[in-house]
Amino acid sequence: MVNFGKKLMADQIPEWKGYYINYKLMKKKVKQYGQQLQQGEKDRRRVLKDFSKMLDDQIEKIVLFLLEQQGMLASRIEKLGKQRAILAEQPDISGIAELREAYREVGVDLIKLLKFVDLNATGIRKILKKFDKRFGYRFTDYYVTTRSNHPYSQLQQVFKHVGVGAVVGALSRNLAELQERQGSYLSIYDQPSAALKDPVIDMINSSVDKLTRSTNFLRFLGQHAMIVGEESPSTAGEEEIEDQKYHFMSLMLNLVNTFLYMVNTYIIVPTADDYSVSLGAASTVCGVVIGSMAVAQIFSSVYFSAWSNKSYFKPLVFSSIVLFLGNVCYAMAYDMKSLTVLIAGRLLCGMGSARAVNRRYISDCVPARIRMQASAGFVSASALGMACGPALAGLLQWKFKIYMVTFNQSTLPGWVMAVAWLLYLVWLWFAFKEPNRAFEVNDAPQNPASGQRVDFGELENGLAQPLLRDSENKQNDDEDEDVDDSEEAVEDSRKPAASIGSAYRLLTPSVKVQLLIYFMLKYAMEILLSESSVVTNHYFSWNTSAVAIFLAILGLTVLPVNAVVGTYISNMFEDRQLLMVSQITLLVGILFSFKVTSTYSAIQYVGSALVTFVSAEVLEGVNLSLLSSVMSSRLSRGTYNGGLLSTEAGTLARVVADGTITAAGYLGIEKLLNVTLLPSLVICVASIACTFLTYNSLF
C-alpha cells in the first residue's frame, strides 16, 4: 500500500509544489509535540495553540493559491468570451472549433485544480486524525467547528466550491452556445434538462460532485442500507472492469428480491393472531409465528453472506425455492390444522432471507458512480415492501375453497407470496447474469500531474474519492493509520475478519454502543408492529382491514421521514446530536404508549405509535451512518462484515421481541401492552446512558 505522504509527493503538480500542504513537516511536528508533552516542555494548551496556528498557515497558503488560480481561469474565460462575441458577428467554422478547444483546455486546467484541492483536503483530514490519535483528544471536532462557522473561514474555501461552480457554469454555457442549437435562442439556464454532453464538462461535474460535504438524500439512504463498498476505482481500467461486472437487470432482480422478502415478512402481521386462534392456540402465539422467520434469518444471514463470496445467482435461486415452499407450508397449515406446519413454514421463509446477498451484490458489482443510488434503491424497496405487506393483507379478505383447499384471510397471504416467488424464480432463471469474478485489476501507479498536456482518462485518475469523510474515505483513513512510523503497512491488519470471534474483537466501545442502539430500535419497532393486531382488537375492536391500514400508514412514513432527515436535518446537525435527540424522542413515544389509566384511547395508541415508529426510523438512519464511520475498515468486506453484524443485531432483537409477546401472553391480554413495553423502556434508557458515555468518540 502506498501511504498518503508518498501519494502526495507522487501526484502533486511540480510547478505547484510549494502550495500543497506540507504533510511531512506536520507529521514531524505532531511527533515532536508528543515528545515535548512527555518531557514536560510544553503543556497541552500550548500544543493545541501551536498546532492550530501551523494548520491555519498551511490552509491560508492553499486557499490564496486556489483563489489566484481561479482568478486566472476566470480571466482566460473572459478573454475567450470576447473572441466568442467577435465570432458571433463574423461566424467562422475553423475559428469556432479553435475556440471550443480553447475552452476545453481551460476545463483541463480546472480539473488539475480540482485534483489540487482533493489532495490538500485529504491531507488536512488525515493530519487532524493523526493529531487526535496521538493525543487522544477530539481536536478535529473543535477545529472544524470553529473554522468552518467563522465568517472569515478559509477552511470553507477548501471544502466548498462556490468559485469552482461559477467557473464550471461559465465553461458549460459558452461551450453550449458554440454548439449548433438548431436555431434556438435559449441558453442552458432556460433548458436545465438539456445538459451539455462534453467529456471535459462531464469529468468536471463528476469531480465537483465528489467535492461536496452535503449529505443528500441518496447518501443518507445509502448509509441507511449499511452497504459499504470497496475503495472507489482510481483508474479507467478499474472503471471498465466495474462496468463489465455490472448488469442492470441483475440489480433489479436483487431489489425485487428485497421488496418481496419485506412484503413476505409483514403480510401476515394483521392476520397472524386470527390464524393462531383458528389452530387452537392463543392469539399471543402470533409472536412466535411472526418471530420464527427472524429466528431462521439469524442463521441464514451467515451462510448467505459466505455463499455470496462464490456466487450470487445460486443463493438467489435457493432463496426463491425455499421461500416458495415456506409459503406453501404456511398456507396449507390451515387445512392440516397444524400449528407446527405453520411455524415450520415461517422458519423456511426465514431460511430464504437473501438480504446479505442483495447488499453484497450492490457493494461488489455496482459501479461506484451509481452505488449510492443503488443503495438508496435497496432501502426504498425495503420500505415499500414494509408498507405493501400489511396493505395487501387488508385486501385479501375473500373466503372460498378449491378441491378441499381453503382460501381465506389467513391462508391467502401464503398463497399469494408462493405465486410471487414462483414467478420471481422464473424471471431470475432467464434474466440474471452472474458477474465474472475472474477480472484482475492492474494496480500500476499512474501520475497524471505533470506540466505537459494531459490525457482526459489520466486526469480522471484519483478524482473518484470524495474529499470529506464518508464510509469509503473512512476506510482510507483507517488504512493510513495502520502504518507504523516507517509507513510500512502490516498486511494482516487489513485482512477482513475471518470469523465471528475475530469480527467481535474488532468492535470498539463506540461500535458496541451503536449495535446496542440498533438492537433497541429494532426491538421497539417489532413490539409495536407484531402485537398491533392483538392490542387494537382488545382495546378498540379493530378488524383486519383497520389494522392493515394502520400498519401500511406507518410503513409509508419511512421514505418521507428519510427524505426530510437526509436532505435537510442531517445538514443542520451532527449525526451524534441527531442520535441523542431521536433516542430521547423514542423514549417519549414508549412512555406515552403505556396504559396507566382505566381507559386507553385509540388516539393515545396511534399518536404514541407514530412517535415511536418515526423516531426509530430517524434513529436507524443516523445510527447506521455513524456505525459506518466508527467501524473498522476490516469490517467493510468479507463474510463477517458490518452489514452482517448490524443485520444479526436487528434480527436478534426481533426474535427477542416476538418471544416477549408470546411469553407476556401467559399473563393475560390485559397486561400484554405494559409488560412488553417495559423491556423497551429499560433498553432505551440504557442505550441513552451508553451514548452519553461514548458521545465524544462518535465522530
Side-chain angles (χ1 to χ4, degrees):
M1 182 191 74
V2 179
N3 63 71
F4 177 73
K6 293 180 180 178
K7 175 180 173 58
L8 177 62
M9 295 298 294
D11 289 354
Q12 63 184 217
I13 299 173
E15 58 265 31
W16 294 355
K17 183 177 180 180
Y19 301 101
Y20 287 87
I21 182 173
N22 196 332
Y23 187 72
K24 183 177 181 181
L25 172 64
M26 300 201 72
K27 278 180 58 181
K28 183 179 179 181
K29 283 290 186 181
V30 169
K31 187 175 181 180
Q32 287 179 356
Y33 289 147
Q35 295 171 348
Q36 290 170 348
L37 280 176
Q38 290 178 354
Q39 297 169 4
E41 298 177 9
K42 285 186 178 181
D43 59 19
R44 183 180 291 268
R45 181 173 296 182
R46 180 63 183 274
V47 167
L48 293 176
K49 182 179 179 180
D50 289 352
F51 182 74
S52 297
K53 183 180 183 305
M54 181 171 61
L55 189 53
D56 286 341
D57 291 341
Q58 291 288 319
I59 292 174
E60 183 176 273
K61 173 184 68 175
I62 296 166
V63 168
L64 292 177
F65 179 75
L66 175 62
L67 294 174
E68 178 187 359
Q69 292 299 312
Q70 286 182 357
M72 292 171 63
L73 292 176
S75 178
R76 289 169 61 185
I77 293 175
E78 182 183 10
K79 292 179 180 178
L80 293 175
K82 294 178 180 178
Q83 297 180 30
R84 183 176 61 82
I86 295 173
L87 284 173
E89 296 179 358
Q90 300 176 354
D92 177 60
I93 296 178
S94 62
I96 292 175
E98 291 176 2
L99 186 59
R100 185 184 297 119
E101 188 62 28
Y103 274 116
R104 286 175 176 163
E105 288 178 1
V106 175
V108 169
D109 289 338
L110 176 58
I111 295 173
K112 285 185 181 181
L113 191 60
L114 289 171
K115 179 68 178 298
F116 172 82
V117 178
D118 184 354
L119 287 172
N120 282 294
T122 303
I124 293 169
R125 186 182 67 248
K126 286 182 177 292
I127 200 64
L128 283 169
K129 186 172 182 181
K130 278 189 180 295
F131 188 88
D132 286 350
K133 185 175 182 180
R134 168 75 72 167
F135 300 105
Y137 180 73
R138 303 306 299 178
F139 175 73
T140 298
D141 191 9
Y142 161 77
Y143 187 86
V144 173
T145 301
T146 55
R147 267 59 177 178
S148 62
N149 292 332
H150 195 278
Y152 303 139
S153 171
Q154 293 180 326
L155 190 64
Q156 290 280 20
Q157 291 292 330
V158 179
F159 290 137
K160 299 294 182 180
H161 48 89
V162 176
V164 173
V167 176
V168 173
L171 282 173
S172 300
R173 186 180 68 85
N174 284 285
L175 280 172
E177 290 185 1
L178 286 173
Q179 291 183 354
E180 291 184 4
R181 309 289 294 182
Q182 296 181 349
S184 173
Y185 292 95
L186 298 177
S187 72
I188 60 172
Y189 304 113
D190 301 312
Q191 295 179 314
S193 60
L196 173 63
K197 299 299 181 182
D198 188 279
V200 175
I201 297 299
D202 290 343
M203 290 163 58
I204 293 173
N205 288 333
S206 176
S207 303
V208 169
D209 288 342
K210 302 296 183 182
L211 199 63
T212 181
R213 184 181 185 274
S214 173
T215 50
N216 57 29
F217 182 35
L218 292 180
R219 180 169 299 283
F220 185 81
L221 288 180
Q223 291 172 323
H224 196 155
M226 197 59 191
I227 295 172
V228 184
E230 296 291 339
E231 185 176 334
S232 296
S234 59
T235 67
E238 289 180 44
E239 289 186 350
E240 182 179 353
I241 289 173
E242 280 199 336
D243 287 339
Q244 292 182 42
K245 291 171 65 177
Y246 172 61
H247 183 235
F248 175 75
M249 189 57 68
S250 299
L251 172 61
M252 289 301 300
L253 283 162
N254 274 278
L255 296 180
V256 171
N257 183 280
T258 298
F259 169 77
L260 288 178
Y261 186 80
M262 293 303 291
V263 172
N264 211 149
T265 300
Y266 290 99
I267 194 173
I268 72 158
V269 173
T271 58
D273 56 335
D274 290 339
Y275 206 165
S276 301
V277 171
S278 68
L279 296 179
S283 60
T284 52
V285 174
C286 68
V288 173
V289 176
I290 296 171
S292 55
M293 191 170 178
V295 171
Q297 189 179 345
I298 293 177
F299 303 99
S300 66
S301 296
V302 178
Y303 68 71
F304 271 117
S305 182
W307 202 351
S308 64
N309 290 326
K310 299 179 180 179
S311 173
Y312 299 103
F313 176 68
K314 292 178 181 178
L316 291 176
V317 170
F318 177 78
S319 166
S320 305
I321 294 173
V322 170
L323 281 159
F324 168 76
L325 295 175
N327 281 288
V328 170
C329 289
Y330 181 86
M332 292 297 296
Y334 187 89
D335 292 309
M336 298 175 68
K337 301 186 183 305
S338 172
L339 184 64
T340 303
V341 174
L342 182 72
I343 295 175
R346 289 295 286 179
L347 284 170
L348 275 175
C349 289
M351 296 301 290
S353 172
R355 287 172 66 82
V357 179
N358 306 144
R359 279 193 176 104
R360 188 68 178 274
Y361 184 88
I362 294 173
S363 175
D364 292 351
C365 302
V366 176
R369 66 179 182 274
I370 60 170
R371 189 175 299 145
M372 193 59 67
Q373 289 91 325
S375 303
F378 177 85
V379 174
S380 301
S382 299
L384 189 59
M386 185 179 181
C388 288
L392 185 58
L395 297 175
L396 301 176
Q397 299 299 303
W398 306 301
K399 185 176 181 180
F400 56 92
K401 277 192 173 185
I402 300 178
Y403 297 110
M404 304 302 292
V405 177
T406 303
F407 296 86
N408 57 26
Q409 66 174 13
S410 297
T411 63
L412 276 171
W415 290 119
V416 168
M417 292 312 303
V419 172
W421 284 114
L422 185 61
L423 294 175
Y424 174 81
L425 178 61
V426 175
W427 182 21
L428 177 73
W429 189 268
F430 290 102
F432 190 86
K433 180 181 178 182
E434 185 77 78
N436 191 341
R437 295 173 179 267
F439 290 115
E440 293 184 1
V441 178
N442 182 8
D443 292 327
Q446 302 280 340
N447 183 9
S450 65
Q452 300 177 356
R453 178 73 177 264
V454 184
D455 179 75
F456 291 162
E458 291 178 337
L459 278 169
E460 200 167 4
N461 296 346
L463 288 173
Q465 288 297 322
L467 300 188
L468 293 182
R469 184 182 307 263
D470 59 16
S471 60
E472 293 180 28
N473 58 39
K474 175 68 169 63
Q475 175 181 332
N476 295 341
D477 287 347
D478 287 342
E479 289 179 347
D480 187 65
E481 293 302 322
D482 285 339
V483 297
D484 56 21
D485 291 338
S486 65
E487 302 292 346
E488 293 296 330
V490 181
E491 187 65 26
D492 289 342
S493 69
R494 302 195 304 276
K495 290 182 178 179
S499 65
I500 287 288
S502 61
Y504 181 80
R505 287 191 291 273
L506 291 172
L507 303 183
T508 62
S510 299
V511 175
K512 291 177 181 177
V513 169
Q514 295 309 305
L515 290 175
L516 171 63
I517 294 172
Y518 194 66
F519 177 93
M520 178 272 294
L521 70 91
K522 284 297 184 183
Y523 181 92
M525 290 176 70
E526 190 70 11
I527 288 291
L528 170 63
L529 298 174
S530 295
E531 71 177 12
S532 59
S533 58
V534 178
V535 171
T536 55
N537 179 264
H538 176 72
Y539 289 109
F540 320 125
S541 300
W542 284 7
N543 58 23
T544 300
S545 297
V547 177
I549 293 172
F550 168 67
L551 294 177
I553 291 174
L554 287 181
L556 288 173
T557 63
V558 174
L559 285 179
V561 168
N562 280 331
V564 172
V565 175
T567 306
Y568 302 107
I569 298 180
S570 63
N571 290 326
M572 299 167 60
F573 303 98
E574 295 180 10
D575 281 352
R576 56 183 180 175
Q577 293 174 329
L578 293 176
L579 186 79
M580 184 64 81
V581 171
S582 55
Q583 285 184 88
I584 294 173
T585 309
L586 178 58
L587 178 63
V588 171
I590 294 172
L591 287 172
F592 276 100
S593 299
F594 278 91
K595 181 181 181 295
V596 293
T597 62
S598 58
T599 59
Y600 192 64
S601 67
I603 294 177
Q604 179 185 349
Y605 178 77
V606 173
S608 60
L610 280 171
V611 172
T612 300
F613 190 82
V614 170
S615 299
E617 276 300 319
V618 174
L619 182 59
E620 182 174 4
V622 177
N623 169 251
L624 291 181
S625 174
L626 276 172
L627 189 59
S628 67
S629 297
V630 299
M631 188 172 285
S632 168
S633 62
R634 293 178 61 188
L635 293 174
S636 67
R637 53 196 182 275
T639 300
Y640 303 96
N641 53 64
L644 175 65
L645 292 179
S646 61
T647 298
E648 293 292 87
T651 305
L652 182 61
R654 291 173 53 203
V655 171
V656 175
D658 291 324
T660 302
I661 293 172
T662 300
Y666 290 102
L667 301 176
I669 294 181
E670 187 66 33
K671 298 180 179 179
L672 176 68
L673 182 65
N674 286 351
V675 170
T676 54
L677 286 174
L678 190 59
S680 298
L681 179 65
V682 173
I683 301 172
C684 188
V685 171
S687 70
I688 291 174
C690 292
T691 303
F692 180 78
L693 293 174
T694 59
Y695 187 78
N696 289 332
S697 64
L698 301 177
F699 186 78

